[in-house]
Amino acid sequence: MTATVEVESSGEPLASGVQFPEGFIWGAATASYQIEGAANEDGRGPSIWDTFSRTPGRVYRGHTGDVACDHYHRYVEDVALMADLGLGSYRYSIAWPRVQPDGTGPVNTRGLDFYDRLTDELIGKGIDPVVTLYHWDLPQTLEDRGGWTVRETAEAFAEYAAIVHARLGDRVRTWTTLNEPWCSAYLGYGSGRHAPGIQDPAAVFKSVHHLLLGHGLAARALRSAGAQNVSITLNPAAVSPLDPQNPADVDAARIVDGLHNRIFLDPLLRGAYPDDMREHMARFTDLSHIQDGDEKIINAPIDVLGVNFYTPSYVSAKPGHPASPENPGTEGIAFRPPVGPITDIGWQIEPAALTRLLDRLHQDYGVPMMITENGAAYPDGPSGDSGEVHDTNRIEYLDGHLRACLDAISHGVDLRGYFAWSLMDNFEWAEGYKMRFGIVHVDYTTQQRVPKDSAKWYREVIRRNGLSDQGRIGE
Ligand code: IFM
């Protein structure tokens, strides 16, 4: 495959069809535990990820977020980098244990001060702050009381949301409650691959509900405090039956779609769990944790749905196949291993699956959307004397997925923005620092940041509000 990458500004007019709608939001995303470091500073309490990553065998080579990208101390430099890339928006998350070290009770002002400074720095550089309130770093004290499996955590989350809004609400317009509750519930309490590392199918479905309830309660609190844009970010699965002509494969896809997508989207956007998912959950819990009126709370209006997308899934019926631990109740269903090109983390690359997913979400739920994460892990690093990072494969990935977005827009999907994951290499959860998703390279020894070729390419995409045919990869 030949790759011609145009990263310098040429200023030539764009061919039609590669332009994004006027006002399209261009950003990059990160998350608190993945970049901040300063784990024990200024009164921050421990989170489930501190506990988990310090437990031997949980994270690749025992890596932790103790230092990460040291963003807590380097945010000025990092915001300058964002400005240099021409980002219009920056999506970052607030660490709950910095704000309320025990998850409830006393507020740690010094924690809020950090986000205050960061937000001011962004605004000073003309970058719109897009805040996520929960990107997985639950205060450990709350986990000790049952974490997301108990209702109290949902209630505490709403209180925390109001506290953060009271401090930043005069400057932050877009509020995302949760990031990828599927991961919090299914990886945190199902496979145990993520913090808190529990393996209990009943806990998965209790957590799904309390995460959703927490979203609904927080959305209500934010709205009544005057928040303009309220959203939630999911990682919906682009799931297809391996053989669309085979009814058993189609049914397998229905179940996986239910577990990944409809179990969240239906209560959020239609006000009720789907019947088949109620039955599915009832195999593991008695559903007494779902109280009358909860679905109405969860159905709080949102202004935009955040969609994180990386890879498709293909499933087939396979009698006797054991359930995957992260998807309780999927015995007899096989997930096809990735085929074709994959990224370093082993995820299949198929941009057309993103178009399919957006089309489907638009058709079934009719909600405005933003891509709040999309990106690829590659083991890249500075090359030769120049120290530049030539990540052509990442440019190819991003280019393909942006074209997939354009295809969806041309089908009538109301897609309002795109955030690259990630602004910089960071702590990739159970994979530690091994997986590099950044468009900016981070040397974890020196903390030096080097914009990769993909960052330069992205700057040009943002400047043009579109893709250049000359920049197309692989032709
Ligand atoms: O790094 C994560 C992010 O925190 C949540 N979405 C997926 C990314 C890549 O795995």
Short mmCIF file of all heavy atoms in Angstrom, two decimals, residues 77-117:
data_model
loop_
_atom_site.label_atom_id
_atom_site.label_comp_id
_atom_site.label_asym_id
_atom_site.label_seq_id
_atom_site.Cartn_x
_atom_site.Cartn_y
_atom_site.Cartn_z
N GLU A 77 1.39 23.70 29.18
CA GLU A 77 2.10 23.24 27.97
C GLU A 77 1.15 22.43 27.08
O GLU A 77 1.13 22.56 25.85
CB GLU A 77 3.28 22.37 28.43
CG GLU A 77 4.09 21.73 27.34
CD GLU A 77 5.03 20.63 27.88
OE1 GLU A 77 5.23 20.55 29.12
OE2 GLU A 77 5.52 19.85 27.07
N ASP A 78 0.33 21.60 27.70
CA ASP A 78 -0.57 20.74 26.92
C ASP A 78 -1.66 21.56 26.23
O ASP A 78 -2.03 21.27 25.09
CB ASP A 78 -1.18 19.65 27.82
CG ASP A 78 -0.12 18.63 28.23
OD1 ASP A 78 0.90 18.51 27.53
OD2 ASP A 78 -0.31 17.96 29.26
N VAL A 79 -2.16 22.57 26.90
CA VAL A 79 -3.18 23.41 26.26
C VAL A 79 -2.54 24.20 25.11
O VAL A 79 -3.16 24.38 24.04
CB VAL A 79 -3.87 24.33 27.28
CG1 VAL A 79 -4.81 25.31 26.59
CG2 VAL A 79 -4.65 23.50 28.30
N ALA A 80 -1.31 24.61 25.28
CA ALA A 80 -0.61 25.32 24.19
C ALA A 80 -0.49 24.40 22.97
O ALA A 80 -0.67 24.83 21.81
CB ALA A 80 0.76 25.78 24.65
N LEU A 81 -0.23 23.13 23.24
CA LEU A 81 -0.14 22.13 22.17
C LEU A 81 -1.48 22.01 21.44
O LEU A 81 -1.54 21.94 20.21
CB LEU A 81 0.21 20.80 22.84
CG LEU A 81 0.97 19.72 22.13
CD1 LEU A 81 2.27 20.23 21.59
CD2 LEU A 81 1.23 18.59 23.15
N MET A 82 -2.54 21.99 22.21
CA MET A 82 -3.89 21.89 21.62
C MET A 82 -4.16 23.11 20.74
O MET A 82 -4.71 22.99 19.64
CB MET A 82 -4.97 21.87 22.71
CG MET A 82 -4.91 20.67 23.62
SD MET A 82 -6.19 20.84 24.91
CE MET A 82 -5.36 20.06 26.28
N ALA A 83 -3.77 24.27 21.24
CA ALA A 83 -3.99 25.50 20.47
C ALA A 83 -3.20 25.44 19.18
O ALA A 83 -3.69 25.83 18.11
CB ALA A 83 -3.59 26.71 21.30
N ASP A 84 -2.01 24.90 19.26
CA ASP A 84 -1.17 24.81 18.07
C ASP A 84 -1.80 23.88 17.02
O ASP A 84 -1.62 24.06 15.82
CB ASP A 84 0.22 24.31 18.48
CG ASP A 84 1.20 24.43 17.35
OD1 ASP A 84 1.29 25.53 16.80
OD2 ASP A 84 1.85 23.42 17.01
N LEU A 85 -2.52 22.88 17.51
CA LEU A 85 -3.20 21.96 16.58
C LEU A 85 -4.47 22.57 16.01
O LEU A 85 -5.08 22.00 15.11
CB LEU A 85 -3.57 20.65 17.30
CG LEU A 85 -2.42 19.76 17.74
CD1 LEU A 85 -2.95 18.53 18.44
CD2 LEU A 85 -1.56 19.37 16.56
N GLY A 86 -4.90 23.67 16.59
CA GLY A 86 -6.13 24.32 16.10
C GLY A 86 -7.39 23.68 16.63
O GLY A 86 -8.47 23.85 16.04
N LEU A 87 -7.29 22.93 17.74
CA LEU A 87 -8.49 22.29 18.28
C LEU A 87 -9.53 23.33 18.65
O LEU A 87 -9.22 24.33 19.30
CB LEU A 87 -8.16 21.49 19.56
CG LEU A 87 -7.22 20.29 19.46
CD1 LEU A 87 -7.20 19.56 20.79
CD2 LEU A 87 -7.64 19.36 18.34
N GLY A 88 -10.77 23.06 18.28
CA GLY A 88 -11.86 23.95 18.67
C GLY A 88 -12.40 23.56 20.04
O GLY A 88 -12.94 24.40 20.77
N SER A 89 -12.27 22.28 20.39
CA SER A 89 -12.81 21.76 21.64
C SER A 89 -11.84 20.76 22.25
O SER A 89 -11.07 20.11 21.53
CB SER A 89 -14.13 21.01 21.40
OG SER A 89 -15.13 21.89 20.99
N TYR A 90 -11.94 20.63 23.55
CA TYR A 90 -11.13 19.62 24.24
C TYR A 90 -12.04 18.89 25.21
O TYR A 90 -12.71 19.51 26.03
CB TYR A 90 -9.97 20.30 24.98
CG TYR A 90 -9.17 19.37 25.87
CD1 TYR A 90 -8.61 18.20 25.38
CD2 TYR A 90 -8.96 19.68 27.22
CE1 TYR A 90 -7.88 17.36 26.19
CE2 TYR A 90 -8.22 18.85 28.04
CZ TYR A 90 -7.69 17.69 27.52
OH TYR A 90 -6.96 16.85 28.34
N ARG A 91 -12.07 17.58 25.09
CA ARG A 91 -12.89 16.75 25.98
C ARG A 91 -11.99 16.15 27.06
O ARG A 91 -11.07 15.38 26.75
CB ARG A 91 -13.56 15.63 25.15
CG ARG A 91 -14.31 14.62 25.97
CD ARG A 91 -15.05 13.59 25.12
NE ARG A 91 -15.76 12.67 25.96
CZ ARG A 91 -15.46 11.38 26.13
NH1 ARG A 91 -14.46 10.83 25.45
NH2 ARG A 91 -16.15 10.64 26.95
N TYR A 92 -12.24 16.52 28.30
CA TYR A 92 -11.45 16.01 29.42
C TYR A 92 -12.39 15.58 30.53
O TYR A 92 -13.55 15.99 30.55
CB TYR A 92 -10.47 17.08 29.94
CG TYR A 92 -11.09 18.40 30.33
CD1 TYR A 92 -11.21 18.79 31.67
CD2 TYR A 92 -11.56 19.29 29.36
CE1 TYR A 92 -11.77 20.00 32.03
CE2 TYR A 92 -12.14 20.51 29.72
CZ TYR A 92 -12.24 20.86 31.05
OH TYR A 92 -12.81 22.06 31.39
N SER A 93 -11.88 14.76 31.42
CA SER A 93 -12.77 14.31 32.49
C SER A 93 -12.28 14.82 33.83
O SER A 93 -11.11 15.16 34.01
CB SER A 93 -12.90 12.78 32.49
OG SER A 93 -11.77 12.18 33.06
N ILE A 94 -13.23 14.89 34.74
CA ILE A 94 -12.94 15.35 36.10
C ILE A 94 -12.76 14.10 36.97
O ILE A 94 -13.57 13.16 36.88
CB ILE A 94 -14.14 16.16 36.66
CG1 ILE A 94 -14.58 17.26 35.68
CG2 ILE A 94 -13.83 16.72 38.05
CD1 ILE A 94 -13.71 18.44 35.56
N ALA A 95 -11.73 14.11 37.78
CA ALA A 95 -11.51 12.99 38.71
C ALA A 95 -12.37 13.22 39.96
O ALA A 95 -12.08 14.11 40.76
CB ALA A 95 -10.03 12.89 39.08
N TRP A 96 -13.39 12.41 40.08
CA TRP A 96 -14.29 12.53 41.25
C TRP A 96 -13.50 12.55 42.56
O TRP A 96 -13.74 13.41 43.43
CB TRP A 96 -15.30 11.37 41.17
CG TRP A 96 -16.44 11.36 42.12
CD1 TRP A 96 -16.62 12.10 43.26
CD2 TRP A 96 -17.60 10.52 42.02
NE1 TRP A 96 -17.81 11.78 43.86
CE2 TRP A 96 -18.43 10.80 43.12
CE3 TRP A 96 -18.02 9.54 41.11
CZ2 TRP A 96 -19.64 10.14 43.34
CZ3 TRP A 96 -19.22 8.88 41.32
CH2 TRP A 96 -20.02 9.19 42.43
N PRO A 97 -12.49 11.65 42.74
CA PRO A 97 -11.77 11.66 44.03
C PRO A 97 -10.89 12.89 44.27
O PRO A 97 -10.37 13.08 45.37
CB PRO A 97 -10.93 10.38 44.00
CG PRO A 97 -10.89 9.94 42.59
CD PRO A 97 -12.07 10.53 41.88
N ARG A 98 -10.69 13.71 43.22
CA ARG A 98 -10.02 15.00 43.50
C ARG A 98 -11.01 15.98 44.11
O ARG A 98 -10.64 16.86 44.88
CB ARG A 98 -9.50 15.64 42.20
CG ARG A 98 -8.19 15.13 41.75
CD ARG A 98 -7.52 16.06 40.76
NE ARG A 98 -6.55 15.31 39.98
CZ ARG A 98 -5.36 14.91 40.44
NH1 ARG A 98 -4.98 15.23 41.65
NH2 ARG A 98 -4.56 14.19 39.68
N VAL A 99 -12.28 15.83 43.70
CA VAL A 99 -13.30 16.80 44.11
C VAL A 99 -13.92 16.40 45.44
O VAL A 99 -14.11 17.22 46.33
CB VAL A 99 -14.38 16.90 43.00
CG1 VAL A 99 -15.53 17.79 43.44
CG2 VAL A 99 -13.76 17.40 41.70
N GLN A 100 -14.24 15.14 45.57
CA GLN A 100 -14.73 14.59 46.84
C GLN A 100 -13.91 13.33 47.12
O GLN A 100 -14.21 12.25 46.58
CB GLN A 100 -16.21 14.22 46.73
CG GLN A 100 -17.14 15.42 46.77
CD GLN A 100 -18.57 14.96 46.64
OE1 GLN A 100 -18.96 14.43 45.59
NE2 GLN A 100 -19.37 15.14 47.68
N PRO A 101 -12.89 13.46 47.93
CA PRO A 101 -11.96 12.34 48.14
C PRO A 101 -12.64 11.04 48.57
O PRO A 101 -12.17 9.95 48.25
CB PRO A 101 -11.00 12.86 49.20
CG PRO A 101 -11.07 14.35 49.05
CD PRO A 101 -12.45 14.68 48.61
N ASP A 102 -13.76 11.15 49.27
CA ASP A 102 -14.47 9.95 49.70
C ASP A 102 -15.74 9.71 48.88
O ASP A 102 -16.56 8.87 49.24
CB ASP A 102 -14.83 10.03 51.18
CG ASP A 102 -13.61 9.83 52.05
OD1 ASP A 102 -12.75 9.00 51.68
OD2 ASP A 102 -13.48 10.53 53.07
N GLY A 103 -15.94 10.49 47.84
CA GLY A 103 -17.11 10.27 46.98
C GLY A 103 -18.37 10.96 47.46
O GLY A 103 -19.26 11.23 46.68
N THR A 104 -18.45 11.20 48.75
CA THR A 104 -19.55 11.98 49.32
C THR A 104 -18.91 12.90 50.35
O THR A 104 -17.74 12.74 50.69
CB THR A 104 -20.58 11.09 50.05
OG1 THR A 104 -19.88 10.28 50.99
CG2 THR A 104 -21.38 10.22 49.09
N GLY A 105 -19.69 13.84 50.85
CA GLY A 105 -19.19 14.66 51.94
C GLY A 105 -18.25 15.76 51.49
O GLY A 105 -18.40 16.28 50.38
N PRO A 106 -17.26 16.06 52.33
CA PRO A 106 -16.45 17.26 52.13
C PRO A 106 -15.89 17.43 50.72
O PRO A 106 -15.43 16.46 50.11
CB PRO A 106 -15.32 17.10 53.14
CG PRO A 106 -15.80 16.13 54.14
CD PRO A 106 -16.81 15.26 53.46
N VAL A 107 -15.94 18.67 50.25
CA VAL A 107 -15.40 18.99 48.93
C VAL A 107 -13.95 19.43 49.10
O VAL A 107 -13.63 20.21 50.00
CB VAL A 107 -16.23 20.13 48.30
CG1 VAL A 107 -15.59 20.61 47.00
CG2 VAL A 107 -17.67 19.66 48.06
N ASN A 108 -13.09 18.93 48.24
CA ASN A 108 -11.69 19.28 48.25
C ASN A 108 -11.47 20.44 47.28
O ASN A 108 -11.33 20.24 46.07
CB ASN A 108 -10.85 18.06 47.85
CG ASN A 108 -9.38 18.38 47.76
OD1 ASN A 108 -8.85 19.16 48.55
ND2 ASN A 108 -8.72 17.81 46.76
N THR A 109 -11.43 21.62 47.79
CA THR A 109 -11.34 22.81 46.94
C THR A 109 -10.12 22.80 46.04
O THR A 109 -10.17 23.24 44.90
CB THR A 109 -11.28 24.08 47.83
OG1 THR A 109 -12.24 23.90 48.87
CG2 THR A 109 -11.62 25.32 47.05
N ARG A 110 -9.02 22.26 46.55
CA ARG A 110 -7.79 22.26 45.74
C ARG A 110 -7.95 21.41 44.48
O ARG A 110 -7.36 21.69 43.45
CB ARG A 110 -6.60 21.77 46.56
CG ARG A 110 -6.13 22.81 47.58
CD ARG A 110 -4.99 22.29 48.42
NE ARG A 110 -5.41 21.13 49.21
CZ ARG A 110 -4.59 20.30 49.84
NH1 ARG A 110 -3.28 20.48 49.75
NH2 ARG A 110 -5.04 19.29 50.53
N GLY A 111 -8.77 20.37 44.58
CA GLY A 111 -9.05 19.55 43.39
C GLY A 111 -9.82 20.36 42.37
O GLY A 111 -9.49 20.37 41.18
N LEU A 112 -10.85 21.04 42.84
CA LEU A 112 -11.64 21.88 41.92
C LEU A 112 -10.78 22.99 41.33
O LEU A 112 -10.95 23.38 40.17
CB LEU A 112 -12.84 22.47 42.65
CG LEU A 112 -14.05 21.54 42.82
CD1 LEU A 112 -15.08 22.20 43.74
CD2 LEU A 112 -14.68 21.18 41.49
N ASP A 113 -9.85 23.50 42.14
CA ASP A 113 -8.99 24.59 41.65
C ASP A 113 -8.24 24.17 40.39
O ASP A 113 -8.04 24.96 39.48
CB ASP A 113 -7.96 24.99 42.73
CG ASP A 113 -8.59 25.71 43.91
OD1 ASP A 113 -9.76 26.14 43.79
OD2 ASP A 113 -7.92 25.84 44.95
N PHE A 114 -7.80 22.91 40.37
CA PHE A 114 -7.06 22.44 39.19
C PHE A 114 -7.93 22.54 37.94
O PHE A 114 -7.49 23.05 36.90
CB PHE A 114 -6.55 21.00 39.38
CG PHE A 114 -6.06 20.40 38.09
CD1 PHE A 114 -4.92 20.89 37.47
CD2 PHE A 114 -6.76 19.38 37.46
CE1 PHE A 114 -4.48 20.38 36.26
CE2 PHE A 114 -6.32 18.84 36.26
CZ PHE A 114 -5.17 19.34 35.64
N TYR A 115 -9.17 22.06 38.04
CA TYR A 115 -10.04 22.09 36.85
C TYR A 115 -10.44 23.51 36.49
O TYR A 115 -10.67 23.82 35.32
CB TYR A 115 -11.25 21.17 37.08
CG TYR A 115 -10.80 19.75 37.25
CD1 TYR A 115 -10.87 19.10 38.49
CD2 TYR A 115 -10.22 19.06 36.19
CE1 TYR A 115 -10.39 17.81 38.66
CE2 TYR A 115 -9.74 17.76 36.34
CZ TYR A 115 -9.83 17.15 37.58
OH TYR A 115 -9.34 15.87 37.74
N ASP A 116 -10.49 24.36 37.49
CA ASP A 116 -10.75 25.77 37.26
C ASP A 116 -9.62 26.39 36.42
O ASP A 116 -9.86 27.07 35.43
CB ASP A 116 -10.81 26.44 38.64
CG ASP A 116 -11.59 27.71 38.62
OD1 ASP A 116 -12.82 27.61 38.51
OD2 ASP A 116 -10.96 28.77 38.70
N ARG A 117 -8.39 26.09 36.81
CA ARG A 117 -7.22 26.63 36.08
C ARG A 117 -7.18 26.07 34.67
O ARG A 117 -6.95 26.79 33.70
CB ARG A 117 -5.92 26.25 36.80
CG ARG A 117 -5.71 26.88 38.16
CD ARG A 117 -4.26 26.72 38.64
NE ARG A 117 -3.85 25.34 38.87
CZ ARG A 117 -4.04 24.67 40.02
NH1 ARG A 117 -4.66 25.24 41.03
NH2 ARG A 117 -3.62 23.42 40.14
#
